[in-house]
Amino acid sequence: MAEAFYRTAAQLVSGGYGALPQEFQSVKHLIYSSPATLAFNSPGAQGFGVKRAGLAIPGSVMLLVSPGCCGRNTIALGPAGSGGDRMFYLLLDEADIVTGRHLSKIPAAVQEVCASCRTKPSAVMLCITCVDALLGTDMERVCRRAEEAAHVPVVPCYMYALTRDGRHPPMTAVRKSVYSLLKPLPKKADAMNILGFFAPLRDDCELYRLFRKAGVHHIREISRCPSFDAYLSMAQANFNLVLNSEARPAAQWMEQFLQIPSIELTRMYQLDKIETQYHLLAQALEIPWEDGPDKDASQAEIHRFRQNYGPAVFTVGEIANADPFELSLALLRYGFSVSEIYGTINKVNFRFIQKIAERSPNTKVYSNLSPTMLFYRPTPAEADIAIGKDAAYYHPECPHVLWCSEVQPFGYAGVRGLFQALSHAVEGRTK
């Protein structure tokens, strides 16, 4: 009987990153639409795909220029997932696709969109698909023509699934697009921006409190901007805090054109790594930083969980607000076991696999993108708790925490929130 392909952590490390089996290299095989790929494989799919992310600018609307097939999931997901009445469509027929004649229709379509809105949009996000990628369309020029026609800023959004594995994948490009309307403003020493996500951090994230205590009174995130004017005030920031590497090109653009430097932090679940990052951040910014109580509270939450439920065995997926390998390493360091990990391996997270191999060499690593996952069959004895939407799918019998809400966990608050959610999940199954 066929089985899902996996390698243990020890086997992966013994060969090195350069010798990864083909099953872990998406360019070497067909991609299986597992629960993982159904959630994020398409740039227009659930959560914050390009279309919804492009509407992050307050007061903006979007015109999707595409064949009907590319827009169907926008309608299927409904207003909550697509922006509802902020989405408009210019559908392409076969002649448009072959000749590119649709490009001449876009300025009039943008005019019509603006005229149909009760309030004049702050901007029109022009979302295009692989059709225009293959045609080699100069979207900057098209947007300029549409701007002249409608007298509204028009910004390109590239929903190019073809570039998903390239240097500027769609979700990286759109992060740059949504800040492109900012204009240079005088800087305020007590203002900063948080870049990286299209939803805010958890309200209890210590970053807000610690920065305010250090004298930073204006902490702006695009998702918390109530108006277009508030969005424009992001250009006043003294610095940007980048929390997602996909926002790095956007931060580089802001540094070049708005003179806003940036500092980058990585989301982690290892408390000592969080502490180190924070102290380096405070040192670079020359600000006071007192995160000891937050670290202690997170340690207490982990201890409480272990005391109540013992050395649980976890299975960890990648459809979660975490790198599955870093989170697995954190769990191992806290005294738990990790039997299986479902994830996409890259050069950055391979170093976590090396550490995992030292502590748990027999941990199985599966590739969500491998077609062999069709044959995956769970072994109930191998997992007590599942973390991640995909891990929960693979182990329906286990208590689980999806951990993929739009509001983003980060830092000590993220660790506390995760273990609180794990406690609730286990308690719910044992009642």
Side-chain angles (χ1 to χ4, degrees):
M1 180 178 176
E3 295 182 354
F5 181 87
Y6 73 87
R7 285 291 183 265
T8 65
Q11 288 172 326
L12 289 171
V13 170
S14 66
Y17 180 76
L20 283 180
Q22 290 190 2
E23 286 78 4
F24 289 97
Q25 302 179 52
S26 61
V27 297
K28 298 290 183 69
H29 56 74
L30 294 174
I31 293 177
Y32 167 54
S33 284
S34 68
T37 56
L38 288 173
F40 72 79
N41 194 43
S42 165
Q46 294 183 28
F48 280 93
V50 168
K51 288 177 285 189
R52 190 176 172 204
L55 291 172
I57 298 176
S60 64
V61 298
M62 178 171 286
L63 176 63
L64 175 62
V65 182
S66 75
C69 58
C70 294
R72 70 184 187 279
N73 56 359
T74 306
I75 297 173
L77 289 172
S82 64
D85 58 1
R86 297 173 66 191
M87 285 294 305
F88 298 86
Y89 304 87
L90 177 59
L91 297 183
L92 310 185
D93 58 26
E94 289 184 5
D96 292 325
I97 295 171
V98 173
T99 66
R101 70 180 183 183
H102 62 285
L103 300 178
S104 63
K105 303 177 184 178
I106 290 176
V110 171
Q111 271 186 308
E112 185 178 342
V113 166
C114 293
S116 70
C117 295
R118 294 180 182 178
T119 304
K120 186 177 181 179
S122 61
V124 176
M125 311 303 289
L126 193 60
C127 186
I128 54 177
T129 65
C130 296
V131 169
D132 284 288
L134 294 171
L135 288 173
T137 301
D138 182 352
M139 282 312 301
E140 298 290 341
R141 181 171 178 272
V142 172
C143 286
R144 285 196 300 270
R145 289 177 55 203
E147 261 186 40
E148 292 168 359
H151 306 292
V152 168
V154 181
V155 180
C157 286
Y158 302 96
M159 196 174 72
Y160 291 172
L162 294 173
T163 63
R164 183 180 53 235
D165 296 320
R167 292 180 58 193
H168 298 290
M171 292 310 297
T172 296
V174 76
R175 280 175 166 85
K176 184 177 177 182
S177 294
V178 297
Y179 296 109
S180 64
L181 295 180
L182 297 178
K183 306 296 182 185
L185 290 175
K187 300 297 175 279
K188 292 188 175 181
D190 64 345
M192 64 171 284
N193 299 321
I194 296 177
L195 309 184
F197 305 115
F198 297 104
L201 300 181
R202 290 168 56 111
D203 289 337
D204 64 346
C205 183
E206 64 277 356
L207 284 173
Y208 298 125
R209 174 171 39 80
L210 291 171
F211 272 118
R212 288 195 177 99
K213 193 171 182 180
V216 182
H217 300 116
H218 302 284
I219 303 172
R220 297 187 174 100
E221 298 166 89
I222 194 169
S223 56
R224 293 187 187 269
C225 289
S227 66
F228 188 66
D229 286 341
Y231 158 81
L232 292 177
S233 68
M234 296 183 77
Q236 298 174 338
N238 194 38
F239 69 95
N240 289 324
L241 182 63
V242 179
L243 302 184
N244 185 325
S245 61
E246 289 186 330
R248 199 176 294 151
Q252 291 168 349
W253 177 86
M254 293 171 79
E255 182 165 4
Q256 182 179 356
F257 291 99
L258 303 177
Q259 287 72 57
I260 304 176
S262 63
I263 296 176
E264 186 170 341
L265 297 182
T266 302
R267 175 160 49 200
M268 291 190 173
Y269 289 84
Q270 300 170 80
L271 293 179
D272 60 331
K273 302 300 182 184
I274 296 171
E275 181 182 41
T276 299
Q277 280 199 123
Y278 278 177
H279 288 185
L280 291 173
L281 170 69
Q283 184 179 359
L285 296 176
E286 299 181 344
I287 57 177
W289 199 263
E290 299 175 9
D291 63 342
D294 294 286
K295 181 181 179 183
D296 292 343
S298 298
Q299 286 177 323
E301 199 66 50
I302 296 168
H303 178 73
R304 188 178 302 113
F305 181 87
R306 183 174 171 81
Q307 200 170 38
N308 291 338
Y309 307 110
V313 180
F314 287 88
T315 178
V316 180
E318 65 183 336
I319 309 304
N321 290 321
D323 181 288
F325 301 105
E326 192 278 331
L327 175 55
S328 296
L329 177 58
L331 293 169
L332 291 169
R333 293 185 64 193
Y334 297 147
F336 303 104
S337 298
V338 177
S339 59
E340 298 173 334
I341 306 170
Y342 314 95
T344 303
I345 301 174
N346 55 49
K347 288 183 179 179
V348 174
N349 62 29
F350 189 76
R351 70 180 189 270
F352 299 130
I353 299 176
Q354 292 172 320
K355 297 293 184 182
I356 289 169
E358 295 173 6
R359 293 173 175 269
S360 180
N362 294 322
T363 293
K364 298 177 182 178
V365 179
Y366 293 88
S367 169
N368 268 324
L369 303 180
S370 170
T372 67
M373 290 302 288
L374 283 166
F375 307 113
Y376 179 86
R377 296 295 181 271
T379 304
E382 288 195 356
D384 298 324
I385 309 171
I387 301 176
K389 192 173 185 178
D390 44 347
Y393 174 87
Y394 291 134
H395 287 269
E397 79 290 344
C398 282
H400 65 264
V401 172
L402 300 183
W403 203 240
C404 55
S405 67
E406 292 180 356
V407 175
Q408 296 293 315
F410 196 87
Y412 298 123
V415 176
R416 287 197 307 276
L418 174 60
F419 278 90
Q420 289 166 357
L422 289 170
S423 295
H424 292 320
V426 177
E427 288 169 6
R429 280 296 183 96
T430 56
K431 286 180 180 178

